[in-house]
Amino acid sequence: MRQELVERARRGDREAFGLLAAGEVDRLHAIARLVLRDPHLAEDAVQEALVRCWRQLPKLRDVERFDGWLYRILMRATADEYGRRRRHESTVQAIRVEPSRADGAGDLADRDELERGFQRLSIDHRSVVVLHHYAGLPLPEVAAVLGIAPGTAKSRYHYAMLALRAALEADARVGVPAEVLA
Amino acid sequence: MSELRDLDQLVADWLRADAPPQAPGRVLSASLDRIAGVGQARPWVGPWLDAWSGATPRPRTWFVAVLVIIAMLALVGAAAFVGGQPQPRLPSRVVSNGLIAISANPIDVGGGEVGDIYLMAEGGVAQRIIGSAGDGVAQACPMFSPDGRRLAYGEARASEPVTTFRGVWPVADRAVVVVDLNDHADVSPPTMRVILPADPGEIPCPEWSPGGGQVAFRVGPELWVADVASGQTTVFTVTEAPWGEQGFEWSRDGSMVAVAEPGDIRVVRMDGSAATLISVEAGTPLSLGWTAGDDRIIYILPDPGGDGVGISAADRGGTNDTQLTERTPDSPSLENRFYFAAVSPDGTRVAYIQRTTRCANNSCTGDPERLLTMDTDGSNVIELAIPPGFSWAGLQWSPDGKRLLLDSIDGPVSLAVALGSLASVPTHGELNLEWSGSEVTWQPVFP
C-alpha cells in the first residue's frame, strides 16, 4: 500500500502524496525536533523536507529505498534550518539547569544532564545519535542517510557518546553532596 | 549517578521519552499548501542508468541529453586544441618510495562515492589518472602491486550521477580492476576486471598477494582470490563482517590470509586446508597485520561497540594471545582508545594512534591523538610528533619503512619515523577524502 502511494506520488499524484505525507509527518517531526531541540525550527525543517520530497520524488529510482531517501532529505533540511538559525543568532544563551539530587531519583537529573550534553554536540553528531538510537538505523545506514563514510558515522557516534558520557560524569560530580566531599 | 555502562540504553530511552508523539497539524497542512503551488522535478537519467533504475526514457530527454554530450565533447576538444595548457607531467624520476595514489574527490565536490584515483609525488600536486568528474563511477581503495608497476582498485556505479550530491550506499555494478603503470605514470586500459554479483553491496577493496600474482577481496560472506593473469577466482567461505570492519591481510609468504570476523580471526589457507579460528573477545578485530616470519598476527582488540581498546597479538595457531598495550585502568576518569595499527614492512614494529580521555575537576577532556610505534612484543614504545587539527582516517608505513603516511579527510600527511618531523601536507585544500582508511597507497620502487 505504502509502496503504491510512493509510486503514485512519484508520478505526480498529489492526493497520494498527501496520504503518504500524513503517514510520515509525525516520525519526521520527532526526528527533527530531537536533533534541533527547537519546536519552531523542527516544524520549518519538516515542511521544507516534505516540499523537497515532493519536488524530487520523480528522481527516486528505487521505491524500496524511499525511507532512507526521505531521511536524507529530512537531515539536509534539518541541517539547513540549523545553519540558518546560527546565521541569524549571533549569540546563543546557554541555559544552566542545576541538577536536582534532593529527591534521590536519578531519572530527572539524567535527563537534564543528557539535555545539556546533547545541546553541546554539533548538528552532525546529534544527527548520528538520533538516527541510530531513535530511528533505529544501524550505523552503516546512518552513514548512507547522511552521505558519509561508515567509518565517519562510527567516529561521530563514538565522539558523541563520549561527550554525553563526559557530561553525565561531570554533572554527577557537581551534584555530589558537600558532606561526601568533605 | 547514572550507570554509565548503560549509556546507550539511557540515551535511547531519553530520546524516546523526549520525542513529541505527534506533529502539530499545521505542519502537514502548511506543507501541502506549499506543495499545491509547486511542480515536480523532471527525472533525468542517462542511458546507462535506465537499466538500473527501471525508468522509461523519454524521447525528448534523450534528444536533449545527446545534444548536451555532443556540445560538451566539442567544448573540451576545442579547448585542448586551441589554447588548453598541457597537463603537468608527473615526475619521471621516482624516489625509493615512489608515488602516492589516492581515491578522492576535488574539494568542491564533497566526499563519498564518486571518487576518482589521483597520483602524486610526496609533497607534490595530485593529478587525476583514473575516472573523470561526473562520470558516475566510483574508483576506491587503490593498492599498488608489490613490484609497483600495477594498480588494483575497487570500482562501482555511484548511487547518484550528480557529483555534488553524495550518493547512497550500497553501490552496484561492482568490480575489481587492475591496470598497469609505466615510468611516466601513464595508466593502461584494465588488464583485469573481475565483476562481482550484481546485487548492491559495499565497494570491494583488493589487496595484492605478496608475490603479486593474485588479488584478494571480500564479497559478503566470501573471500575471493583472483589470479591477475587469468582473472579466474577462487572463493573461500568466511563470516560476513559489518561494513567498515571487513579487514583482511595476506601473510608475508602468501600462503595464508587472516580475515577479521565478528568474534574471531579466521586464518584461511590458500592450499585449501582447514582454516584456523583465533577467538577474539567482544567485536570484530581491526587492523590485522603479520609479524616477521608470519609467526604472529597483530590486531586491534575491539569492545562490543567496535572501539579499539587495546592492541593484541596471537600466534597464527591461535595460542599465546597477549595484549601489547596497557589496558585502561579501571577508572571512570580515564579511557584509552586505539586506532589504525600498522605493522612495518620488515614485520618488527607496529605504528598506531592512541587517544586518552581524562576527567578531573568536574570536566572531561580528550587528549590530542598520539602517534606511537612499538616492537611487536609491545616493548620499546616511541612517540612521534604529529600535526594537530587533523581527523586521522588511516595510517601506513612507506615501502622502505622509514616514513609513515597518515591520511585525513584533507589528504595524506607523511613524516619520517626516525626524526618524527612533519614532512608535508601535500593535498590539503585540494582533495576531499572520505571513503575510509584504505584510500591511499604508496608505490614501492625498485632500482
Side-chain angles (χ1 to χ4, degrees):
Chain A
M1 176 63 184
R2 185 162 168 275
Q3 218 164 0
E4 188 189 321
L5 285 177
V6 175
E7 194 64 60
R8 281 171 51 199
R10 195 168 72 147
R11 287 194 233 106
D13 185 334
R14 290 176 194 272
E15 187 186 342
F17 184 80
L19 293 170
L20 190 64
E24 302 293 338
V25 67
D26 291 343
R27 184 166 55 117
L28 299 181
H29 177 256
I31 290 172
R33 175 74 179 77
L34 288 173
V35 172
L36 290 166
R37 321 301 302 166
D38 181 305
H40 304 297
L41 289 177
E43 289 183 26
D44 288 347
V46 174
Q47 275 191 43
E48 185 59 31
L50 287 173
V51 173
R52 290 183 194 179
C53 175
W54 163 253
R55 281 184 54 79
Q56 297 174 16
L57 251 179
K59 291 182 176 176
L60 175 66
R61 295 191 299 275
D62 186 350
V63 173
E64 289 184 357
R65 287 188 180 180
F66 176 74
D67 276 338
W69 181 80
L70 182 57
Y71 275 139
R72 186 168 62 172
I73 288 177
L74 174 72
M75 300 319 289
R76 289 172 70 91
T78 300
D80 290 348
E81 286 301 323
Y82 183 78
R84 245 192 297 280
R85 182 198 71 171
R86 284 176 65 88
R87 279 196 294 279
H88 288 297
E89 294 180 10
S90 55
T91 57
V92 176
Q93 187 69 42
I95 300 169
R96 177 74 184 169
V97 181
E98 292 301 329
S100 168
R101 299 289 183 181
D103 58 5
D107 285 359
L108 278 176
D110 279 342
R111 290 178 64 167
D112 289 339
E113 290 154 9
L114 282 170
E115 177 68 50
R116 275 196 299 279
F118 204 76
Q119 292 267 15
R120 291 184 204 125
L121 296 179
S122 72
I123 189 80
D124 291 339
H125 289 83
R126 290 184 208 172
S127 300
V128 171
V129 173
V130 170
L131 286 174
H132 184 53
H133 274 313
Y134 178 75
L137 301 184
L139 285 176
E141 286 184 36
V142 171
V145 165
L146 297 176
I148 57 179
T152 307
K154 198 169 160 183
S155 162
R156 285 183 186 172
Y157 175 74
H158 170 67
Y159 284 113
M161 297 305 284
L162 208 63
L164 288 176
R165 176 177 297 198
L168 284 173
E169 287 177 334
D171 285 327
R173 275 188 289 275
V174 168
V176 172
E179 58 269 26
V180 176
L181 294 172
Chain B
M1 178 178 171
S2 307
E3 179 54 69
L4 295 181
R5 282 172 298 184
D6 294 330
L7 182 62
D8 281 4
Q9 191 59 49
L10 190 65
V11 171
D13 290 345
W14 170 65
L15 288 171
R16 276 194 287 272
D18 203 41
Q22 280 187 318
R26 60 179 173 272
V27 177
L28 181 62
S29 57
S31 303
L32 296 179
D33 284 348
R34 286 178 62 188
I35 287 162
V38 174
Q40 284 185 309
R42 292 192 62 186
W44 191 95
V45 285
W48 49 263
L49 269 175
D50 290 338
W52 186 46
S53 66
T56 305
R58 302 178 185 185
R60 194 173 158 193
T61 306
W62 274 92
F63 180 69
V64 173
V66 169
L67 280 183
V68 168
I69 290 169
I70 290 171
M72 288 173 68
L73 288 173
L75 276 174
V76 170
F81 179 76
V82 175
Q85 293 294 316
Q87 288 289 312
R89 202 73 183 155
L90 287 162
S92 58
R93 188 169 165 228
V94 291
V95 296
S96 60
N97 280 332
L99 300 169
I100 295 169
I102 309 164
S103 169
N105 285 311
I107 197 68
D108 59 346
V109 171
E113 297 181 344
V114 290
D116 297 321
I117 294 179
Y118 292 75
L119 205 59
M120 58 183 295
E122 188 184 12
V125 177
Q127 178 180 327
R128 180 156 40 200
I129 58 166
I130 299 173
S132 59
D135 62 3
V137 178
Q139 288 90 7
C141 35
M143 175 70 70
F144 276 111
S145 60
D147 64 3
R149 311 294 297 187
R150 290 162 295 169
L151 200 60
Y153 58 91
E155 180 186 88
R157 178 84 59 208
S159 295
E160 293 284 344
V162 183
T163 55
T164 52
F165 197 68
R166 292 178 190 175
V168 180
W169 294 50
V171 289
D173 293 351
R174 298 172 294 158
V176 169
V177 181
V178 173
V179 294
D180 289 342
L181 275 88
N182 64 17
D183 287 342
H184 300 285
D186 297 321
V187 179
S188 75
T191 59
M192 187 201 81
R193 183 190 296 271
V194 175
I195 297 171
L196 274 59
D199 57 314
E202 192 173 7
I203 198 162
C205 285
E207 296 267 355
W208 287 90
S209 64
Q214 299 162 309
V215 289
F217 46 94
R218 294 183 73 162
V219 185
E222 295 171 339
L223 176 73
W224 289 32
V225 179
D227 182 272
V228 176
S230 67
Q232 290 200 328
T233 58
T234 306
V235 175
F236 298 87
T237 300
V238 299
T239 301
E240 190 161 13
W243 285 12
E245 298 177 3
Q246 300 176 346
F248 64 95
E249 188 72 18
W250 286 89
S251 63
R252 292 168 185 276
D253 67 2
S255 67
M256 298 171 282
V257 177
V259 179
E261 299 180 341
D264 59 58
I265 299 169
R266 181 183 297 266
V267 181
V268 177
R269 290 182 166 74
M270 291 298 103
D271 64 4
S273 59
T276 303
L277 285 182
I278 301 172
S279 180
V280 174
E281 57 181 281
T284 307
L286 308 163
S287 297
L288 305 184
W290 292 81
T291 63
D294 293 327
D295 295 327
R296 287 166 71 71
I297 298 171
I298 306 282
Y299 65 95
I300 289 184
L301 182 68
D303 69 3
D307 292 317
V309 294
I311 298 176
S312 292
D315 291 347
R316 67 186 184 196
T319 56
N320 196 19
D321 195 343
T322 51
Q323 188 162 332
L324 306 178
T325 50
E326 288 183 12
R327 285 185 181 271
T328 300
D330 187 16
S331 162
S333 64
L334 196 62
E335 192 173 62
N336 286 333
R337 288 285 183 260
F338 297 87
Y339 310 93
F340 316 122
V343 181
S344 62
D346 66 2
T348 62
R349 298 280 289 171
V350 183
Y352 59 97
I353 285 178
Q354 179 178 335
R355 189 167 193 266
T356 304
T357 300
R358 299 171 191 278
C359 296
N361 300 325
N362 299 337
S363 66
C364 294
T365 55
D367 288 356
E369 289 165 324
R370 301 164 66 201
L371 174 60
L372 303 150
T373 64
M374 65 180 174
D375 288 346
T376 51
D377 63 359
S379 65
N380 195 18
V381 177
I382 297 173
E383 182 165 359
L384 304 176
I386 51 174
F390 286 88
S391 179
W392 304 114
L395 169 65
Q396 63 182 282
W397 292 79
S398 64
D400 69 359
K402 294 177 181 174
R403 303 183 71 78
L404 286 170
L405 189 67
L406 296 110
D407 47 303
S408 75
I409 193 169
D410 294 311
V413 175
S414 61
L415 54 88
V417 174
L419 301 176
S421 61
L422 174 66
S424 54
V425 187
T427 66
H428 187 80
E430 296 168 11
L431 295 178
N432 188 344
L433 290 74
E434 207 170 336
W435 270 98
S436 66
S438 57
E439 298 170 280
V440 180
T441 177
W442 206 334
Q443 181 184 33
V445 173
F446 300 93

